[in-house]
Amino acid sequence: MSFKSTVQRRLANRVKDALRDVSLQLALLNHQVGARLKLRDVDFDCLNLLNQHGPLGPGALAKLAGLHPATMTGVLDRLEKAGWATRDRDREDRRAVVVRAAPERGREIFELYAGMNGSMDDICADYTVEQLEIIEEFLRRTAAAGHDSTVKLTD
Amino acid sequence: MSFKSTVQRRLANRVKDALRDVSLQLALLNHQVGARLKLRDVDFDCLNLLNQHGPLGPGALAKLAGLHPATMTGVLDRLEKAGWATRDRDREDRRAVVVRAAPERGREIFELYAGMNGSMDDICADYTVEQLEIIEEFLRRTAAAGHDSTVKLTD
DNA sequence: GTCAGTTAATATGGAAACCATATCATCTCC
DNA sequence: GGAGATGATATGGTTTCCATATTAACTGAC
């Protein structure tokens, strides 16, 4: 890592501090949104993973979420029972099922995030196109770094 | 909200997408770090809140974390027993206790995040001072927006 | 100064969740 | 064809959650 100046190093530390705060605040927001939907944190996290990655098998979802397969069975039982997800037979492997988030329920989640989404639109409106491109690139690289770090921890 | 162009609106959506991915990846990383420390998600989240906010009473910590006071008692029991936090008498209110994260254990957490921290330093080194200032400001405003949204959801 | 009302933290116990292990059906490869 | 592996779930013991109650302490009105 090659910082060009002490100012830049200090700024990097401030960026990392701000990132930690973002992570914390969004985790707390997610917890409240989940509570409003009467979902346990672990259930809501798994639902978010399904919304992000698309349909997955319970084993793959468990691995992604860092959960035991038996735990995932319980989580999916609750999500299915509450109408947030469905389990369907896999067409190619009769052992397997495919789990999908219920698309018609997405609006309920969307509505609870409306405040945050509106605030983000307002914030983004203050930046130029060039600035937003820089910000997006930074966030993409940060997400990739987070993913890589997680993979390294589970090896 | 007043976007100056369609390009800017589209970019805002990409920024929001990227932010969701960052939130998800950091949540998964936190889960794995917590697992390495043999801490339940809820325990690790509370420890992180103590590290971020400094000493707090159990009631204030429960409110911040969106947890029931009785749940917090159990969380603090586990954190105390495992040596991650201490409960001390409040000097001014004999009913109250003050919970502190154990400073000597901070290094263990720090070491598990070393990969991510190093990656963030590398990423930041690619940006100019001006760009890092923009990024930091954006993250600060995003954290504030997240906090405000959470407060609105709990009213 | 007294006392009713409120607050802070914890105790209790029933319900819910977690997960190590086992089970069964299915798939793969030799 | 069959041994070994895999995917998902069942089981049951343990752990966690939390509604409610309890106790000690604080506050403010009278």
Side-chain angles (χ1 to χ4, degrees):
Chain A
M1 162 264 294
S2 56
F3 289 116
K4 297 183 183 61
S5 72
T6 304
V7 172
Q8 201 184 6
R9 175 190 302 273
R10 269 209 292 266
L11 264 174
N13 283 339
R14 280 163 54 185
V15 163
K16 289 193 290 186
D17 280 348
L19 191 61
R20 265 189 287 281
D21 198 22
V22 163
S23 178
L24 180 62
Q25 296 303 332
L26 293 184
L28 294 173
L29 176 59
N30 287 342
H31 173 81
Q32 290 299 340
V33 169
R36 279 304 194 84
L37 299 171
K38 297 187 190 337
L39 290 172
R40 295 232 163 259
D41 282 354
V42 65
D43 298 1
F44 191 49
D45 289 344
C46 291
L47 184 57
N48 283 332
L49 282 169
L50 287 171
N51 279 316
Q52 172 115 350
H53 285 85
L56 287 170
L61 186 52
K63 199 176 173 90
L64 204 54
L67 297 173
H68 195 281
T71 305
M72 183 55 65
T73 295
V75 168
L76 294 180
D77 282 348
R78 295 194 292 271
L79 286 177
E80 198 175 31
K81 184 179 179 184
W84 288 104
T86 57
R87 277 161 159 136
D88 300 301
R89 301 294 302 275
D90 186 277
R91 284 187 176 176
E92 298 173 357
D93 188 334
R94 288 149 64 102
R95 296 171 297 177
V97 301
V98 179
V99 188
R100 295 182 172 84
E104 70 279 8
R105 299 295 298 277
R107 170 163 288 281
E108 288 171 63
I109 303 178
F110 186 82
E111 278 168 9
L112 288 167
Y113 281 110
M116 182 62 185
N117 270 333
S119 297
M120 290 316 303
D121 283 337
D122 290 343
I123 291 170
C124 288
D126 287 341
Y127 295 91
T128 66
V129 164
E130 289 81 11
Q131 290 173 330
L132 290 174
E133 283 173 342
I134 289 165
I135 289 168
E136 192 216 353
E137 183 199 64
F138 173 83
L139 293 174
R140 294 286 181 204
R141 294 178 71 182
T142 297
H147 172 79
D148 291 346
S149 297
T150 301
V151 167
K152 287 199 181 80
L153 273 184
T154 53
D155 278 347
Chain B
M1 167 262 294
S2 57
F3 288 116
K4 297 185 182 59
S5 71
T6 305
V7 172
Q8 201 182 5
R9 174 190 302 274
R10 268 209 293 268
L11 264 173
N13 283 337
R14 278 162 54 187
V15 163
K16 288 193 291 187
D17 280 350
L19 189 61
R20 262 189 291 278
D21 197 22
V22 164
S23 179
L24 179 62
Q25 296 304 332
L26 293 185
L28 295 174
L29 176 59
N30 288 340
H31 174 81
Q32 289 299 341
V33 170
R36 279 300 192 89
L37 300 171
K38 297 189 189 335
L39 290 171
R40 293 231 165 261
D41 282 354
V42 65
D43 298 2
F44 192 48
D45 289 344
C46 291
L47 186 56
N48 282 333
L49 281 169
L50 286 171
N51 278 318
Q52 172 116 349
H53 285 84
L56 286 168
L61 187 52
K63 199 176 174 86
L64 203 53
L67 297 172
H68 194 281
T71 306
M72 183 55 66
T73 294
V75 169
L76 295 181
D77 282 348
R78 296 193 294 271
L79 286 177
E80 198 176 31
K81 183 179 179 185
W84 287 105
T86 57
R87 276 157 156 141
D88 300 300
R89 301 296 299 279
D90 187 277
R91 284 184 176 178
E92 299 177 354
D93 189 334
R94 288 148 63 103
R95 296 171 298 180
V97 301
V98 178
V99 187
R100 294 182 173 85
E104 72 277 10
R105 301 294 299 275
R107 169 163 287 280
E108 288 172 62
I109 303 176
F110 186 84
E111 280 169 6
L112 287 167
Y113 281 110
M116 181 63 183
N117 271 333
S119 296
M120 290 317 302
D121 283 336
D122 289 344
I123 291 170
C124 288
D126 287 341
Y127 295 90
T128 67
V129 165
E130 290 82 11
Q131 290 172 331
L132 290 173
E133 283 174 343
I134 290 165
I135 289 167
E136 191 215 352
E137 181 199 67
F138 173 82
L139 293 174
R140 294 288 180 204
R141 295 178 70 181
T142 298
H147 173 79
D148 291 345
S149 298
T150 302
V151 168
K152 287 197 181 80
L153 274 184
T154 51
D155 278 348

